[in-house]
Amino acid sequence: MSRINDYLEFLKAHGRTDKTIKDYRLKLSQAVKALEAGGYSTDPTETDGDAFLYLRRAIPGKEETVRQIMKAWDRLVEWTTGRKILPTLGLLWNRKQVRRTFISPEQYAGMMKAARDPFERVLLVLGGMMGCRRIEMIRLRMEDVGENTVTIRGKGHQDGLIIPQPINGTVREELRAYMAWRATLPGSEHDPRLLILPRRYGGFLSESTMEYTVPRKIKSLARRAGVDASTHTLRRLFGTTIYSATDHDLAATARLLRHADIATTVECYIEPSRNLDTQTLDTLCDMLTF
């Protein structure tokens, strides 16, 4: 367990939250329990493909749960040895169990029209035009917004994924409009966060409250526009569009989505059934960040 503890300390030192650390500890403990029961070594330096195939058979629960436990163990193996084993096994997973919603560029435009204020519009811009996760939106600070880039603080893989991402004219103008609106809120100059909303009795919503408020805002906006969409739906639109615009360049798409694993990009963020026509693609790509 010493290697696991060292790995968890490494994750903590590189920006992972206590909740994420707890989740990793649970998954890794489940992998250890299964390996011990099957007579396999729990030393990550001795893990091989057979051990992973055994884990798939031995770990109880839903397929997605098993997959996430195996991915957590594979990341421990990679951190310890520099080797990634799981992607080399060519395992097929039944992804039909998970419902993933995609929206069209036209539906996205309808959501933009339905937005009631600059706060709602900037959520759509950060999600659909920059591919930001909910937590990445909430972590943004005023100082992160430059003239030509926005520094995005990602989920903490490797060195923390603090990435200055280029922005185009449309994103820039929407951010300016939002910040002008933000400046009208009393006391906003004392809050370093980019996204803020007033509380009923003064001050602004806390970061933890914003984690629930942002997705609710997007869901409410989507309902007004007659669209089924969430924060991750906006990310999927971004991913699908970038994938098409870059002539199916997976590496570029994964990089812009800030994914550590290209398999995640392929399985979760690209809609294979849609062939965007040239005019629609050009119109949307004019808005998106490359």
Side-chain angles (χ1 to χ4, degrees):
M1 292 293 289
S2 62
R3 290 186 186 275
I4 292 178
N5 290 331
D6 290 344
Y7 177 56
L8 296 177
E9 287 297 323
F10 168 81
L11 293 179
K12 185 176 182 179
H14 285 75
R16 293 302 181 95
T17 64
D18 290 342
K19 181 180 178 181
T20 300
I21 299 297
K22 183 178 179 180
D23 182 61
Y24 264 87
R25 187 183 298 279
L26 175 62
K27 287 184 172 66
L28 294 172
S29 297
Q30 289 172 299
V32 167
K33 183 178 179 180
L35 289 169
E36 287 178 340
Y40 286 84
S41 173
T42 58
D43 184 342
T45 64
E46 298 178 7
T47 299
D48 57 15
D50 287 341
F52 275 104
L53 294 176
Y54 168 77
L55 285 176
R56 187 175 188 182
R57 297 191 306 270
I59 297 173
K62 296 180 179 179
E63 184 179 76
E64 181 60 18
T65 300
V66 175
R67 180 172 179 268
Q68 292 303 321
I69 292 171
M70 291 173 67
K71 286 180 68 175
W73 190 261
D74 192 51
R75 286 169 181 159
L76 172 63
V77 171
E78 182 186 15
W79 179 78
T80 307
T81 68
R83 297 180 294 118
K84 288 180 71 70
I85 297 175
L86 192 56
T88 69
L89 300 179
L91 298 179
L92 297 178
W93 302 91
N94 179 17
R95 307 301 290 173
K96 293 181 180 179
Q97 294 182 4
V98 181
R99 178 179 176 268
R100 292 188 173 83
T101 305
F102 290 85
I103 60 172
S104 68
E106 293 79 12
Q107 289 174 312
Y108 178 75
M111 291 179 67
M112 289 293 287
K113 291 179 181 177
R116 291 174 175 170
D117 56 48
F119 183 86
E120 290 186 342
R121 288 184 66 88
V122 83
L123 292 183
L124 293 176
V125 167
L126 293 173
M129 299 185 190
M130 297 195 69
C132 285
R133 303 174 177 90
R134 171 190 61 180
I135 192 64
E136 290 171 341
M137 297 181 188
I138 295 166
R139 286 177 178 174
L140 286 171
R141 299 293 182 260
M142 290 291 287
E143 65 184 21
D144 294 331
V145 181
E147 182 64 24
N148 299 307
T149 63
V150 171
T151 299
I152 298 176
R153 303 172 189 276
K155 291 176 66 177
H157 297 297
Q158 297 174 358
D159 60 356
L161 282 183
I162 300 177
I163 300 173
Q165 185 159 317
I167 58 176
N168 63 18
T170 301
V171 175
R172 188 180 300 112
E173 289 306 313
E174 290 292 346
L175 284 169
R176 285 175 178 169
Y178 165 74
M179 287 191 284
W181 173 84
R182 181 187 184 282
T184 66
L185 303 176
S188 61
E189 67 276 12
H190 302 302
D191 198 310
R193 297 173 297 166
L194 177 66
L195 296 184
I196 57 173
L197 280 175
R199 292 186 304 195
R200 180 176 298 179
Y201 303 109
F204 299 100
L205 297 179
S206 67
E207 188 167 307
S208 59
T209 303
M210 289 289 279
E211 288 188 28
Y212 300 97
T213 302
V214 166
R216 285 202 299 265
K217 284 276 187 182
I218 293 176
K219 281 284 189 182
S220 176
L221 172 56
R223 284 194 297 269
R224 293 202 307 269
V227 178
D228 181 11
S230 65
T231 310
H232 261 64
T233 308
L234 300 178
R235 255 173 79 76
R236 292 186 192 108
L237 173 65
F238 179 81
T240 297
T241 305
I242 294 299
Y243 181 66
S244 299
T246 57
D247 195 23
H248 302 172
D249 187 334
L250 275 176
T253 305
R255 185 174 64 253
L256 288 168
L257 284 167
R258 298 168 294 285
H259 281 157
D261 187 350
I262 284 183
T264 302
T265 309
V266 175
E267 295 172 3
C268 307
Y269 290 88
I270 295 173
E271 185 178 15
S273 60
R274 181 183 302 143
N275 293 317
L276 300 177
D277 62 83
T278 302
Q279 183 177 358
T280 300
L281 185 61
D282 288 345
T283 300
L284 185 59
C285 286
D286 284 343
M287 297 188 296
L288 294 179
T289 305
F290 287 85

